[in-house]
Amino acid sequence: MKTAMYARAILIGFVLLLAGCGKADMDGIVLEVTGNSMLVATELSLEEYEEIKNQSATEIQNEDVNGDSYLGLINITYKRAEKFSKGDEVDLWIDGDIRESYPMGATAKKATLKK
């Protein structure tokens, strides 16, 4: 009887552990980190990033607004945003809805460097 209870507890723990390992909701390249938020481009390749990496986030946003490019910009609020730097490729797990604004906005429940 005790063995069955332990086995169930281990199985439930394993299932819960796997539930937290799901695929990221989105990925992108960090363009700017400010406090607990970061501006991420979700439609930008590393090669394209190399061409714009010396521009400010404001310049990049202006080009995006003018239609010169589409970068899929999103402002991510994340409590540990300071651990990331401009140019980092990140995987993001979103907590809740994505706000329809410019740039879009969301809160991340998890963010990791892309592997």
Side-chain angles (χ1 to χ4, degrees):
M1 188 72 165
K2 284 186 179 182
T3 304
M5 285 180 26
Y6 288 125
R8 269 193 215 128
I10 290 171
L11 181 61
I12 290 171
F14 185 68
V15 168
L16 291 175
L17 180 66
L18 286 178
C21 297
K23 184 179 174 191
D25 296 313
M26 66 177 61
D27 60 18
I29 299 175
V30 176
L31 300 179
E32 180 180 59
V33 178
T34 308
N36 67 343
S37 69
M38 53 188 163
L39 181 64
V40 176
T42 61
E43 299 290 329
L44 184 67
S45 70
L46 280 176
E47 293 80 23
E48 293 167 327
Y49 173 74
E50 285 299 317
E51 294 175 17
I52 65 167
K53 69 180 180 182
N54 294 322
Q55 293 180 328
S56 71
T58 302
E59 290 173 317
I60 293 168
Q61 282 181 314
N62 287 341
E63 287 179 11
D64 196 50
V65 167
N66 292 332
D68 298 333
S69 61
Y70 175 72
L71 304 176
L73 299 178
I74 185 165
N75 228 344
I76 299 292
T77 302
Y78 183 59
K79 60 186 171 186
R80 292 188 300 269
E82 75 280 349
K83 76 178 194 175
F84 298 101
S85 301
K86 183 177 179 174
D88 284 348
E89 286 186 277
V90 293
D91 284 324
L92 302 165
W93 287 259
I94 302 303
D95 186 17
D97 294 329
I98 295 176
R99 295 179 295 283
E100 294 294 326
S101 58
Y102 183 81
M104 294 182 294
T107 300
K109 60 184 167 190
K110 180 178 175 185
T112 61
L113 286 173
K114 195 167 181 76
K115 295 177 183 178

